[in-house]
Amino acid sequence: MKHHLILRVVSKLLIPFILLFALYVQFHGDYGPGGGFQAGVLFASAFILYALIFGVDNAREVLPSKALRFLVPVGLIIYALTGFAGIVMGGKFLDYDVLAQDPQHGQHLGILVIEFGVGTTVAAVMVTIFYAYAGRTRDVDDEDW
Amino acid sequence: MGAEMITIVNIVLLTMLCFSAVAIMLLRHLFAVAALTGAFSLLSAGLLVALDAVDVAFTEAAVGGGISTVLMLGTLALTQRREHRPPRFSLPALLVVIATGGALIYATSDMPAYGDPNAPALQHVVPVYIEGSRNDIGVPNIVTSILASYRGYDTLGEVAVIFTAGIGVMFLLGRRREDEDDEGMVRHGPGNDPESSEPEETAS
Amino acid sequence: MLDAILAHYNYWLIIILMMIGLYIVISRGNLVKKIVGLNIFQTSVFLLYITLAKVTGGTAPILTGKPEIFSNPLPHVLILTAIVVGIATTALGFALVVRIRESYGSIEEDDILAAERAEEEIAVKEALS
Amino acid sequence: MSTEMALALTLLIPSLGGIAIAWAGRYPNLREAVTLITASVLFAVVISLLQQVADGGAPTLMLIEVLPGLPLMLKVEPLGMLFGCVASGLWIVNSLYSFGYMRGTNETNQTRFYICFAIAIASSMGIAFAGNMFTLFIFYEILTISTYPLVAHKQNAEARSGARLYLGLLIGTSIGFQLVAIIWTWVAAGTLDFTIGGILRDKIDPTMLPILLALYMFGIGKAALMPFHRWLPAAMVAPTPVSALLHAVAVVKAGVFTVLKVVIYIFGIELLSETGASGWLIWVASFTLLAASLVAISKDNLKARLAYSTISQLSYIILGAALASSLGVLGGALHIATHALGKITLFMCAGAIYVATHKTEISDMQGLGRVMPFTFAAFCIGALSIIGLPPFAGSWSKWYLALAAADTGMVLVIAVLMISSLLNVAYLMPVVARGFFRPAPAPQPVGAAVAPGARFGLAEAPLLCVIPPCLTALGCLVLFFYADEVVDLLRPIVG
Amino acid sequence: MSLLFEHMAALQVAVPLLSAPVCSLLRGGRQPWFLALAVSWFAFFASISLLIQVLDSGDISYHMGNWAPPFGIEYRVDAINAFVLLIISGISAVALPYARLSVAHEVDPRRHGQFYTAYLLCLTGLLGGTITGDAFNIFVFLEISSLSAYVLVAAGARQDRRALTAAYNYLVLGTVGATFFVIGIGLLYMVTGTLNITDLAERLPPLVDNRAVQAGFAFIIVGMGLKLAMFPMHTWLPNAYTYAPSTVTVFLASTATKVSVYVVLRFLFTVFGPSYGFVGLTFEYIFLPLAILAMFIGSAAAIYQTNLKRLFAYSSVAQLGYMVLGIALGNVAGLTATVLHLFNHALMKGALFMALGCVALRIGAVSINGVRGLGREMPWTFAAIAGAGLSLIGVPSTVGFISKWYLILGALENGWWPVAVLIVASSLLAVIYVWKIIEAAYFGAAPEGRGPVSEAPLEMLAPLWLMVVANFYFGIDADLTTSVAGKVAATFLGGGS
């Protein structure tokens, strides 16, 4: 797809906006629709778009599999550790009230952190799945087309 | 939107959903099916918006219209484009479906009416969520406060599910090139490959 | 009568949709189609949940400061989770389909069953000889 | 040594013996010495308990409570003592015989053979001393399973199918009928402990008693009541020492012993005679008794003939139980001992003949008595004892049974006993007659290479195969004179 | 330390859950295995301490996020789920020492990290689905376990490609089952407005005649029926167990279906109750015939199998029939049998599949012909098969006997004579298929061309024999298990009526 100049230009323009929108969705979930999951999907789709236009190998340079393999579990770990933090700070598992000076701040902080965890894992998993498919060689009979 | 308007939108969208589902069932060209699946998801996202579930609609559009369509196209690229067998009628399937559907229709007669503001589900737990979201948590989006806090544990599970899927896909499809030498051989043999079950191999 | 229809038409249409999905899962032999059927089935269950959450005259459950009627937010939360579970299942299912295709050269249930039966017969014959 | 200790030892000694045999497996002489020592020590321990039981004691050992109210426990009573003595005593004799036989025929897998034998004896001890029906059932099943490898010993197709039938029928009947009966009893009576006078009085509808009894009787497949007798001839594919000890003594006697236990301690003789619940059993036993004898006559294979004879003789004991009178029960119990001595003699003789000449068919045994006089003499004595002629032990048990029949007014049963004695003559004596009185066909049968006494023109099997049957034949004679002591020991069981 | 015990309910699931992503970060080699082992042992320790706490001082309620139920998610531990937790974590604790060599043999070494991650996720899901007191949370955690189970089954593809189709079928049917369950939960939520199980139980009685409740009940039972492979919804099970790697079969066969049975019990007796007309009817007219068919068709199918793993997989279908039968009996003895059999069946199938794994390690495929004459070459392995086989048959002094004893007691208590006889008759079918193996192993001649085979390594034999010994120990001293099971059964029936 190297010769699709228009696609390349448009997507180069588009991708930053998608990323920006993803960030907005990630952190604006408290106020409107959205949250970590949706943001993660958007992040991932930006990468997938990049990979489709510029090739998977280029995408892998931006976001190598090694980094992904690290990011996939990290989101979940962040989430789970937030839960443990609740215990350590004297509350129950996943108790955000105790995370900051007063319950409401605690709740805000807790939600922010776990949404970040969700976003990380979701985005990383989606890209991982895409890479896994892309890394597969095609062996399709012609008649199937 | 007025209630009648929503009713009409609902009926139109649901009818279109049914048609696209039937088309998915009958079409043998899997690319067309993929496209229809994407359309199906977007239609249902529209319906979800009409039903006030904006978060869900967002997610459904991103997941159903985006991710799962991409996944399906990826799968088709690696497998085949056409369903080889023509659609055929299956009596057992029909019977199962009729029984299941019958049970649900039977249930509807005692369900709270659609849109009923006095439905039991609205009376019991939900008021606490609305108040709590305002006062205890201070997050305007009630869905977020339930999702992340009241039922935050469910969401932890949800992330674990996604993580499982990631691990699973990596396990099944990951790193093909490096594996080719040792897995490709077994994959094409009729199972019990003698090479892979030599006792010496594990003597270590 | 009309009341009853108005009260439940949404459910009925969703049930029909659900049953089309289930029928595809059971009756189709193409492995991709089965998963698509599963998706339709699940999506209609999501719709069922969201329908039961709807309140006539209500709005999306986001606090805006004005006293308002909200639709029930809890099913929304549940369905968000369920959608994620659904996509996870779909991803795994498709990954399996790809591997099956690589092993058997087909994604049609009939072909695969035929191949497996042939293998089974060979195994039994070897065992008996 | 405390009583409990002794009781525990009866189970432990053969089990440990089994382990020791496995350990000594590579050295045949050591292995066989271990077997013999184990058998002797076991017998000594059993005898040490005898006096206490004769004095009216009931040594008890509580092992563990499996479920509330359902313990595994051992409790010695006279009947069990008798069975225990018979089984452990004859194990010594049989071990000697096994050494001769197994070496004489160059059998494979001898270690496995001795191990399984020890386990079988251990479970026989468990059956003999079981304190409740549940414990008995467990050891009953272990006995079945541990004897399976013995039956399948030869590992050829015939042995395997015979063993399959053996296991299938014994496990099938025990789980299919006996277990159901046990659970029924438990539900009805709330206990399974063996109690004189039974535990079922007023606990169960009298019209259901015959059904429960039938579940027990057919469930105790080892008693070989027709139509569940087929396993016994099938088991004859086993090496002869197995047939001798297990299928003349341990296994089948475990079966009829269980029958007696059930009749005496679960139902109670009085309950049975009051309700007549065992009436049908008299006729089934009589039928088995006669039918098996008739089949025995038609068999030319010696071991098969003896097997059917066993089926027939077992029904004597069942008949004694079915008569539901104290004399009948005594006769049945006595027959456990007398028949055991007689039948083990016959089997060991059959084995000796096989070792010496490799002959199994009766029609081939012309004139063998002249070259194997000891074997055939022993056979003759065993046969006479089984037929019930004085001065051999078998006569006593038959006498008691006949008395019991007369006592309960069952004239027809007396007739059955008479006819069957005649049939006994008809199928056992021809073997003796052929051996002694028919001239041997030329050329003379070639004896085993190591035949002792070849100098005297004899061709007996190895000494270890000949002495044991002679010993047991002698036992038949001795027991005739000491039968009263045995009956005295048994008296308490009929109250 | 008191902090540890105070939060034990949460840690029971949270620790495995956290360990799964950590496991996927590990370098490989033995590390992932070792982490899984440590976590399993911790989970075992946690479940023991929970069971003790519950038996000593009554039910535990743990509020996730400190939100009081029914608003937040509650962990509610009572005797029954503490018992099921013990089964799951106990099996895992024994299976993992066994796993290392078996997995090394059957799974690509480069995939071990992912394999053990999936294993830990499966463990997490099963534990979480059991311990939770929230209906929707059950769904979420069971899906974690199901998804990872699909992956684990598919891991057998290195040995036999049929693992892939087995996993696929498992996935389709499992997802349909989960979706049915969700529909059922939705119907109940619709009319009660709650997802908390205790709360549901309180709010349902006035709604007995509500059709949505009845349909919800049906959907939940059918959904879980698919997951627990209740006949005739068992079609995914035989192949999934057959082609999965040995360790996976050991773990799944002893735990996964048990959790589904537990969920069914929970809904039948805690949420609904046998006194509800429509629930009582299902016992006699649905569960009873299906259970009996399962017992016979499962066992009969087992007899005709040549692949030993599939043979025991079909036997599992039959054994699940026993569990359903115990429910169908509807009395304390029957229910005791079901709860006991959850434990007992885990012991016997765990041992049997472990032994088959040992055989697979040495000779590859485990067919009835392949094991001919192996009894002498692998004496410990086959002695274990014989021992666990006896337990499967239900020979006295084994755990299998204890289960059957209570089942028959339950049948007699109802006066259902024919059922008692059928239970006994189906054990006889077990005699046939178990003996087929014993006979081949001990009395069959080795197939030509098979060289000498050595006994499995001690590392695998030790856990195997631990299970076998447990089969006998809990068969002889059944006091512990029966008292817990009896208590559970009494609570269920007492609370329901």
Side-chain angles (χ1 to χ4, degrees), chain B residues 100 106-107 109-111 120 124-125 128-129 149-151 153-154 156 161 164 168 171 174-175 179 182 186 191-192 202, chain E residues 13 17 67 71 75 105 110-111 114 134 136-137 144 147 151 158-160 187 190-191 193 199 203 210-211 214-215 219:
Chain B
T100 318
Y106 171 82
S109 61
D110 274 350
M111 282 182 190
H124 185 36
V125 178
V128 176
Y129 286 152
S149 188
Y150 285 104
R151 297 188 69 87
Y153 193 67
D154 256 356
L156 176 59
V161 168
T164 313
F171 190 97
R175 299 190 298 176
D179 296 342
D182 84 332
V186 182
N192 331 332
T202 53
Chain E
V13 182
L17 179 64
W67 296 112
F71 310 110
Y75 266 11
H105 175 61
R110 278 160 296 184
R111 297 283 158 87
Q114 290 159 359
D134 186 281
F136 196 79
N137 201 238
I144 298 178
L147 284 170
V151 178
R158 191 160 175 256
Q159 312 290 317
D160 193 318
L187 291 173
M190 198 180 281
V191 292
D199 200 26
R203 300 174 74 86
N210 190 304
R211 292 173 173 180
Q214 297 172 2
F219 274 98

Coordinates of all heavy atoms in Angstrom, one line a residue, chain B residues 100 106-107 109-111 120 124-125 128-129 149-151 153-154 156 161 164 168 171 174-175 179 182 186 191-192 202, chain E residues 13 17 67 71 75 105 110-111 114 134 136-137 144 147 151 158-160 187 190-191 193 199 203 210-211 214-215 219:
Chain B
T100 N -36.6 -22.4 23.0 CA -36.0 -21.2 23.7 C -36.8 -20.0 23.5 O -37.2 -19.3 24.5 CB -34.6 -21.0 23.2 OG1 -33.9 -22.2 23.0 CG2 -33.8 -20.1 24.1
Y106 N -43.1 -16.7 26.7 CA -43.9 -17.0 27.9 C -43.5 -16.1 29.0 O -44.4 -15.5 29.7 CB -43.5 -18.5 28.2 CG -44.1 -19.0 29.6 CD1 -45.4 -19.4 29.7 CD2 -43.3 -19.0 30.7 CE1 -45.9 -19.9 30.9 CE2 -43.7 -19.5 31.9 CZ -45.1 -19.9 32.0 OH -45.5 -20.4 33.2
A107 N -42.2 -15.8 29.1 CA -41.7 -14.9 30.2 C -42.2 -13.5 30.0 O -42.5 -12.8 31.0 CB -40.2 -14.9 30.3
S109 N -44.9 -12.2 29.2 CA -46.3 -11.9 29.6 C -46.2 -11.4 31.1 O -47.1 -10.6 31.5 CB -47.2 -13.1 29.5 OG -46.7 -14.1 30.3
D110 N -45.2 -11.8 31.9 CA -45.1 -11.3 33.2 C -44.0 -10.2 33.4 O -43.7 -9.9 34.5 CB -44.9 -12.4 34.2 CG -46.3 -13.0 34.6 OD1 -47.3 -12.4 34.3 OD2 -46.3 -14.1 35.2
M111 N -43.4 -9.8 32.3 CA -42.4 -8.8 32.5 C -43.0 -7.5 32.7 O -44.1 -7.2 32.2 CB -41.5 -8.8 31.2 CG -40.6 -9.9 31.0 SD -39.7 -9.6 29.5 CE -38.8 -11.1 29.3
P120 N -39.8 -2.9 38.9 CA -39.1 -3.3 40.1 C -37.6 -3.0 40.0 O -37.0 -2.6 41.0 CB -39.4 -4.8 40.3 CG -40.3 -5.2 39.2 CD -40.6 -4.1 38.3
H124 N -35.4 -0.8 43.4 CA -34.6 -1.5 44.4 C -33.2 -0.9 44.7 O -33.0 -0.1 45.6 CB -34.5 -3.0 44.2 CG -33.9 -3.7 45.3 ND1 -34.0 -3.3 46.6 CD2 -33.1 -4.8 45.3 CE1 -33.3 -4.2 47.4 NE2 -32.7 -5.0 46.6
V125 N -32.3 -1.1 43.8 CA -30.9 -0.8 44.1 C -30.5 0.6 43.4 O -29.8 1.3 44.0 CB -30.0 -1.9 43.6 CG1 -28.5 -1.5 43.8 CG2 -30.3 -3.2 44.3
V128 N -30.1 4.1 45.0 CA -28.9 4.3 45.8 C -27.7 4.7 44.9 O -26.9 5.5 45.3 CB -28.6 3.0 46.6 CG1 -27.3 3.1 47.4 CG2 -29.8 2.7 47.6
Y129 N -27.6 4.1 43.8 CA -26.5 4.4 42.9 C -26.6 5.8 42.4 O -25.6 6.5 42.4 CB -26.6 3.5 41.6 CG -26.2 2.0 41.8 CD1 -26.8 1.0 41.1 CD2 -25.3 1.7 42.8 CE1 -26.4 -0.3 41.2 CE2 -25.0 0.3 43.0 CZ -25.5 -0.6 42.2 OH -25.2 -2.0 42.4
S149 N -16.7 1.6 40.5 CA -16.6 1.6 42.0 C -17.6 0.6 42.6 O -17.2 -0.4 43.2 CB -16.9 3.0 42.5 OG -16.6 3.0 43.9
Y150 N -18.9 0.8 42.4 CA -19.8 -0.1 43.0 C -19.6 -1.6 42.6 O -19.5 -2.5 43.3 CB -21.3 0.3 42.7 CG -21.8 1.5 43.5 CD1 -21.8 2.7 42.8 CD2 -22.1 1.4 44.8 CE1 -22.3 3.8 43.5 CE2 -22.6 2.5 45.5 CZ -22.7 3.7 44.9 OH -23.1 4.8 45.6
R151 N -19.5 -1.7 41.3 CA -19.2 -3.0 40.7 C -17.8 -3.1 40.1 O -17.6 -3.7 39.1 CB -20.3 -3.4 39.7 CG -21.7 -3.5 40.3 CD -22.7 -4.1 39.4 NE -22.5 -5.5 39.1 CZ -22.9 -6.5 39.8 NH1 -23.6 -6.3 40.9 NH2 -22.6 -7.7 39.5
Y153 N -15.4 -4.6 41.0 CA -14.8 -6.0 41.0 C -15.2 -6.7 39.7 O -14.4 -7.5 39.2 CB -15.3 -6.7 42.2 CG -14.5 -8.0 42.4 CD1 -13.2 -7.9 42.8 CD2 -15.1 -9.2 42.3 CE1 -12.5 -9.0 43.0 CE2 -14.4 -10.3 42.5 CZ -13.1 -10.3 42.8 OH -12.4 -11.4 43.0
D154 N -16.4 -6.5 39.2 CA -16.8 -7.0 37.9 C -15.9 -6.6 36.8 O -15.5 -7.3 36.0 CB -18.3 -6.6 37.6 CG -19.3 -7.7 37.8 OD1 -18.9 -8.8 38.2 OD2 -20.5 -7.4 37.7
L156 N -12.9 -5.5 37.1 CA -11.6 -6.2 37.3 C -11.6 -7.6 36.6 O -10.7 -8.0 35.8 CB -11.2 -6.4 38.8 CG -10.0 -7.2 39.1 CD1 -8.8 -6.6 38.5 CD2 -9.8 -7.3 40.6
V161 N -10.8 -11.0 31.7 CA -11.3 -11.7 30.5 C -10.5 -11.2 29.3 O -10.1 -12.1 28.5 CB -12.8 -11.4 30.4 CG1 -13.3 -11.9 29.0 CG2 -13.6 -12.2 31.4
T164 N -7.2 -12.6 29.3 CA -7.3 -14.1 28.9 C -7.3 -14.2 27.4 O -6.6 -15.0 26.8 CB -8.5 -14.7 29.5 OG1 -8.6 -14.4 30.9 CG2 -8.4 -16.2 29.3
G168 N -4.7 -15.9 25.1 CA -5.1 -17.1 24.3 C -4.8 -16.9 22.9 O -4.2 -17.8 22.2
F171 N -1.2 -17.4 22.4 CA -0.9 -18.8 22.5 C -1.2 -19.5 21.2 O -0.4 -20.3 20.8 CB -1.7 -19.4 23.7 CG -1.2 -20.8 24.0 CD1 -0.4 -21.0 25.1 CD2 -1.7 -21.9 23.3 CE1 0.0 -22.3 25.5 CE2 -1.2 -23.2 23.7 CZ -0.4 -23.3 24.7
G174 N 0.4 -16.7 18.1 CA 1.6 -15.8 18.2 C 2.9 -16.4 17.6 O 3.0 -17.6 17.6
R175 N 3.8 -15.6 17.2 CA 5.1 -16.0 16.8 C 5.2 -17.1 15.9 O 5.9 -18.1 16.1 CB 5.9 -16.3 18.1 CG 6.0 -15.1 19.0 CD 7.0 -15.4 20.1 NE 6.6 -16.5 20.9 CZ 7.3 -17.0 21.9 NH1 8.5 -16.5 22.1 NH2 6.9 -18.0 22.6
D179 N 8.1 -20.5 15.2 CA 7.6 -21.8 15.6 C 7.5 -22.8 14.4 O 7.4 -24.0 14.6 CB 6.2 -21.7 16.1 CG 6.2 -20.9 17.4 OD1 7.3 -20.8 18.0 OD2 5.1 -20.5 17.8
D182 N 9.1 -26.3 14.3 CA 8.7 -27.5 15.1 C 7.2 -27.7 15.1 O 6.8 -28.8 15.4 CB 9.3 -27.4 16.5 CG 8.4 -26.6 17.5 OD1 7.7 -25.7 17.0 OD2 8.4 -26.8 18.7
V186 N 4.0 -31.1 13.0 CA 3.0 -31.8 13.7 C 1.6 -31.5 13.2 O 0.7 -32.3 13.1 CB 3.0 -31.5 15.2 CG1 2.0 -32.3 16.0 CG2 4.4 -31.9 15.7
G191 N -2.2 -36.3 13.8 CA -2.2 -36.5 15.3 C -0.9 -37.2 15.7 O 0.1 -36.9 15.2
N192 N -1.1 -38.1 16.6 CA -0.1 -38.8 17.3 C 1.2 -38.9 16.5 O 1.6 -40.0 16.1 CB -0.5 -40.2 17.6 CG -2.0 -40.3 17.8 OD1 -2.6 -39.3 18.1 ND2 -2.6 -41.4 17.5
T202 N 11.7 -36.6 26.8 CA 11.4 -36.1 28.1 C 12.2 -36.7 29.2 O 12.0 -36.4 30.3 CB 9.9 -36.4 28.4 OG1 9.8 -37.8 28.2 CG2 9.0 -35.6 27.5
Chain E
V13 N -9.2 -15.2 45.8 CA -9.3 -15.0 44.4 C -8.3 -14.0 43.9 O -7.7 -14.1 42.8 CB -10.7 -14.6 44.0 CG1 -10.8 -14.4 42.5 CG2 -11.7 -15.6 44.5
L17 N -5.5 -14.0 40.8 CA -5.8 -13.1 39.7 C -4.6 -12.2 39.4 O -4.2 -11.9 38.3 CB -7.0 -12.2 40.1 CG -7.4 -11.2 39.1 CD1 -7.9 -11.8 37.8 CD2 -8.6 -10.3 39.7
W67 N -18.6 -1.7 49.6 CA -20.0 -1.3 49.4 C -20.9 -2.4 49.9 O -20.7 -3.6 49.5 CB -20.2 -1.1 47.8 CG -19.4 0.0 47.2 CD1 -18.4 -0.1 46.4 CD2 -19.6 1.4 47.5 NE1 -17.9 1.1 46.0 CE2 -18.7 2.0 46.7 CE3 -20.5 2.1 48.2 CZ2 -18.6 3.4 46.6 CZ3 -20.4 3.5 48.2 CH2 -19.5 4.1 47.4
F71 N -25.6 -3.5 47.0 CA -25.2 -2.4 46.1 C -23.8 -2.8 45.5 O -23.6 -2.6 44.3 CB -25.1 -1.1 46.8 CG -26.4 -0.8 47.5 CD1 -26.4 -0.8 48.9 CD2 -27.6 -0.6 46.8 CE1 -27.6 -0.6 49.6 CE2 -28.8 -0.4 47.5 CZ -28.8 -0.4 48.8
Y75 N -18.7 -11.1 48.6 CA -18.2 -12.5 48.6 C -18.9 -13.1 49.8 O -18.8 -12.6 50.9 CB -16.7 -12.5 48.8 CG -16.0 -12.6 47.5 CD1 -16.6 -12.4 46.3 CD2 -14.6 -12.9 47.5 CE1 -15.9 -12.5 45.1 CE2 -13.9 -13.0 46.3 CZ -14.6 -12.8 45.1 OH -13.9 -12.9 43.9
H105 N 6.7 -32.0 28.5 CA 6.6 -33.0 27.5 C 5.6 -32.7 26.4 O 5.8 -32.9 25.2 CB 6.2 -34.4 28.1 CG 6.0 -35.5 27.1 ND1 7.0 -35.9 26.2 CD2 4.9 -36.2 26.8 CE1 6.5 -36.8 25.4 NE2 5.3 -37.0 25.8
R110 N 8.4 -22.9 24.6 CA 8.3 -21.4 24.5 C 7.0 -20.9 24.9 O 6.8 -19.7 25.0 CB 8.7 -21.0 23.1 CG 10.2 -20.9 22.9 CD 10.5 -20.9 21.4 NE 10.0 -22.2 20.8 CZ 10.2 -22.6 19.6 NH1 10.8 -21.7 18.7 NH2 9.8 -23.7 19.1
R111 N 6.0 -21.8 25.1 CA 4.7 -21.4 25.5 C 4.4 -21.6 26.9 O 3.2 -21.4 27.3 CB 3.7 -22.1 24.6 CG 3.8 -21.9 23.1 CD 3.1 -20.6 22.8 NE 3.6 -20.0 21.6 CZ 3.1 -20.3 20.4 NH1 2.1 -21.1 20.3 NH2 3.6 -19.8 19.3
Q114 N 2.8 -18.6 28.8 CA 1.4 -18.4 28.5 C 0.5 -19.6 29.0 O -0.6 -19.3 29.5 CB 1.2 -18.3 27.0 CG 1.8 -17.0 26.4 CD 2.1 -17.1 25.0 OE1 1.9 -18.2 24.3 NE2 2.7 -16.1 24.4
D134 N -22.7 -12.9 44.1 CA -23.4 -12.0 43.2 C -23.6 -12.8 41.9 O -22.7 -13.3 41.3 CB -22.5 -10.8 42.9 CG -23.2 -9.7 42.1 OD1 -23.2 -9.9 40.8 OD2 -23.7 -8.8 42.6
F136 N -24.3 -11.9 38.8 CA -23.6 -11.6 37.5 C -22.1 -11.8 37.6 O -21.4 -12.2 36.6 CB -23.9 -10.1 37.2 CG -23.5 -9.7 35.8 CD1 -24.4 -10.1 34.8 CD2 -22.3 -9.1 35.5 CE1 -24.1 -9.8 33.5 CE2 -22.0 -8.8 34.2 CZ -22.9 -9.1 33.1
N137 N -21.6 -11.6 38.8 CA -20.2 -11.9 39.0 C -19.8 -13.4 38.8 O -18.7 -13.7 38.3 CB -19.8 -11.5 40.5 CG -18.3 -11.3 40.6 OD1 -17.7 -11.9 41.4 ND2 -17.7 -10.4 39.8
I144 N -14.0 -16.1 32.7 CA -12.5 -16.2 32.8 C -12.1 -17.6 32.7 O -11.2 -18.0 31.9 CB -12.0 -15.5 34.1 CG1 -12.4 -14.0 34.1 CG2 -10.5 -15.6 34.2 CD1 -12.0 -13.3 35.4
L147 N -12.9 -19.2 29.1 CA -12.0 -18.8 28.1 C -10.6 -19.4 28.2 O -10.0 -19.9 27.3 CB -11.9 -17.3 28.0 CG -13.1 -16.5 27.5 CD1 -13.0 -15.0 27.7 CD2 -13.2 -16.8 26.0
V151 N -8.4 -22.2 25.8 CA -7.0 -22.1 25.4 C -6.2 -23.3 25.9 O -5.4 -23.9 25.1 CB -6.4 -20.8 26.0 CG1 -4.9 -20.7 25.6 CG2 -7.1 -19.6 25.5
R158 N -0.5 -29.7 19.9 CA 0.8 -30.2 19.5 C 0.8 -31.7 19.4 O 1.6 -32.3 18.7 CB 1.8 -29.7 20.6 CG 3.2 -29.8 20.2 CD 4.1 -28.9 21.0 NE 5.5 -29.1 20.8 CZ 6.3 -29.7 21.6 NH1 5.8 -30.2 22.7 NH2 7.5 -29.8 21.4
Q159 N 0.0 -32.3 20.2 CA -0.1 -33.8 20.2 C -1.0 -34.3 19.1 O -0.8 -35.2 18.4 CB -0.6 -34.3 21.5 CG 0.1 -33.8 22.7 CD 1.5 -34.2 22.8 OE1 1.8 -35.4 22.6 NE2 2.5 -33.4 23.1
D160 N -2.2 -33.6 19.0 CA -3.2 -34.1 18.1 C -4.1 -32.9 17.7 O -4.6 -32.1 18.5 CB -4.1 -35.1 18.9 CG -5.0 -35.9 17.9 OD1 -5.6 -35.2 17.0 OD2 -5.1 -37.1 18.0
L187 N -33.6 -12.0 33.4 CA -35.1 -12.1 33.7 C -35.3 -12.0 35.2 O -36.3 -11.4 35.6 CB -35.5 -13.5 33.2 CG -35.6 -13.7 31.7 CD1 -35.9 -15.1 31.3 CD2 -36.6 -12.7 31.1
M190 N -34.9 -8.4 36.2 CA -36.0 -7.6 35.7 C -37.2 -7.5 36.7 O -37.8 -6.5 36.8 CB -36.5 -8.3 34.4 CG -37.4 -7.4 33.5 SD -37.8 -8.5 32.1 CE -36.4 -8.4 31.1
V191 N -37.4 -8.6 37.4 CA -38.6 -8.6 38.3 C -38.2 -8.3 39.7 O -39.1 -8.1 40.6 CB -39.4 -9.9 38.1 CG1 -40.1 -9.9 36.8 CG2 -38.6 -11.1 38.4
G193 N -35.0 -6.6 40.6 CA -34.1 -5.5 40.8 C -32.8 -5.7 41.5 O -32.2 -4.8 41.9
D199 N -30.0 -11.5 48.5 CA -31.1 -10.6 48.3 C -32.2 -11.2 47.3 O -33.4 -11.1 47.6 CB -30.6 -9.3 47.7 CG -31.5 -8.1 47.9 OD1 -32.3 -8.2 48.8 OD2 -31.5 -7.2 47.1
R203 N -36.2 -11.8 47.9 CA -37.2 -11.1 47.1 C -38.0 -12.0 46.2 O -39.0 -11.6 45.6 CB -36.6 -10.0 46.3 CG -35.9 -9.0 47.2 CD -35.1 -8.0 46.3 NE -36.0 -7.0 45.7 CZ -36.5 -5.9 46.3 NH1 -36.1 -5.6 47.5 NH2 -37.3 -5.1 45.7
N210 N -44.6 -15.8 39.0 CA -44.2 -14.9 37.9 C -43.5 -15.8 36.8 O -42.6 -16.5 37.0 CB -43.2 -13.9 38.4 CG -43.0 -12.8 37.4 OD1 -42.6 -13.1 36.3 ND2 -43.3 -11.6 37.7
R211 N -44.0 -15.6 35.5 CA -43.5 -16.4 34.5 C -42.1 -16.0 34.1 O -41.3 -16.9 33.7 CB -44.4 -16.2 33.2 CG -45.7 -16.9 33.4 CD -46.6 -16.5 32.2 NE -47.9 -17.3 32.4 CZ -48.8 -17.2 31.5 NH1 -48.7 -16.5 30.4 NH2 -49.9 -17.9 31.6
Q214 N -40.0 -18.0 36.3 CA -39.9 -19.4 35.9 C -39.0 -19.6 34.7 O -38.1 -20.5 34.6 CB -41.3 -19.9 35.6 CG -42.2 -19.9 36.8 CD -43.6 -20.2 36.6 OE1 -44.0 -20.5 35.4 NE2 -44.5 -20.2 37.6
A215 N -39.1 -18.7 33.7 CA -38.3 -18.8 32.5 C -36.8 -18.5 32.9 O -35.9 -19.2 32.4 CB -38.7 -17.8 31.5
F219 N -33.6 -20.9 32.2 CA -32.4 -20.5 31.4 C -31.2 -20.7 32.2 O -30.2 -21.1 31.7 CB -32.6 -19.0 31.0 CG -33.3 -18.9 29.7 CD1 -34.6 -18.5 29.7 CD2 -32.6 -19.1 28.5 CE1 -35.3 -18.4 28.5 CE2 -33.3 -19.0 27.3 CZ -34.7 -18.6 27.3

